[in-house]
């Protein structure tokens, strides 16, 4: 799957799971007929959010986005549906076009440490997937341990 397809898949999934979570919150506020609905919707959204963040990071590095754009891509996922206009802007400006950078080019930026590590992982998708399958659930478990974001600083 090319960077553009991967990013758009996770961006749409992130927006859909926001809808799911907000709907669950509305249902709970309307009378709570199914108490764990927010926990279920929140867990699904949390998992997709982490997947989106990792995808934005990988695609952003691959497409050589500046740090600000990369931080914006990840940060906008915190605001409901904010990834939609961002995604549309990326498509309109062709910021998602291009294949995965699996080998070194003549570009001097390819000598940066992060680019060397990035290319190594992208050239070995099974290893990358294995690392992500370990790291994402670990982050998810840690966030579950912290509890709802509204309680982090209490």
């Amino acid at each position: 799957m090319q960077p553009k397809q991967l990013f758009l898949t996770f961006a749409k999934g992130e927006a859909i799971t926001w809808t799911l979570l907000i709907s669950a919150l509305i249902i709970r506020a309307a009378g709570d007929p199914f108490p764990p609905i927010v926990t279920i919707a929140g867990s699904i959204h949390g998992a997709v959010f982490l997947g989106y963040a990792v995808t934005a990071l990988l695609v952003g590095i691959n497409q050589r986005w500046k740090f600000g754009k990369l931080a914006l891509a990840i940060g906008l996922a915190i605001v409901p549906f904010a990834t939609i206009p961002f995604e549309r802007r990326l498509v309109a400006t062709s910021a998602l076009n291009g294949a995965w950078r699996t080998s070194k080019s003549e570009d001097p930026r390819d000598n940066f440490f992060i680019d060397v590590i990035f290319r190594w992982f992208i050239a070995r998708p099974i290893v990358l997937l294995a690392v992500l399958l370990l790291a994402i659930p670990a982050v998810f478990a840690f966030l579950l341990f912290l509890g709802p974001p509204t309680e982090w600083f209490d």
Side-chain angles (χ1 to χ4, degrees):
M1 184 178 281
Q2 293 300 313
K4 181 177 182 177
Q5 296 164 309
L6 184 64
F7 183 84
L8 293 178
T9 299
F10 272 94
K12 283 176 181 38
E14 208 274 336
I16 289 167
T17 60
W18 260 123
T19 304
L20 180 66
L21 179 57
I22 291 169
S23 299
L25 290 167
I26 292 169
I27 290 168
R28 181 178 72 180
D32 204 12
F34 183 62
I37 192 166
V38 174
T39 302
I40 294 167
S43 295
I44 293 168
H45 174 68
V48 174
F49 168 81
L50 291 174
Y52 170 81
V54 168
T55 300
L57 182 66
L58 290 173
V59 172
I61 292 170
N62 188 72
Q63 303 305 96
R64 299 186 194 279
W65 294 348
K66 292 183 179 177
F67 179 78
K69 183 185 276 189
L70 192 52
L72 189 62
I74 296 168
L76 285 175
I78 296 169
V79 180
F81 308 111
T83 56
I84 295 170
F86 184 74
E87 164 200 335
R88 289 183 180 166
R89 179 75 179 149
L90 292 175
V91 170
T93 59
S94 301
L96 295 171
N97 292 352
W100 291 108
R101 293 186 296 117
T102 57
S103 58
K104 187 176 178 182
S105 70
E106 297 298 320
D107 191 314
R109 295 174 292 183
D110 276 350
N111 294 322
F112 294 145
F113 178 73
I114 191 74
D115 286 288
V116 173
I117 298 295
F118 174 79
R119 283 193 314 273
W120 188 89
F121 273 109
I122 292 298
R124 295 160 182 82
I126 301 296
V127 175
L128 176 60
L129 187 59
V131 168
L132 292 177
L133 286 174
L134 292 173
I136 291 174
V139 170
F140 190 73
F142 178 70
L143 291 172
L144 285 175
F145 169 77
L146 290 177
T150 56
E151 297 176 7
W152 288 355
F153 303 105
D154 289 344

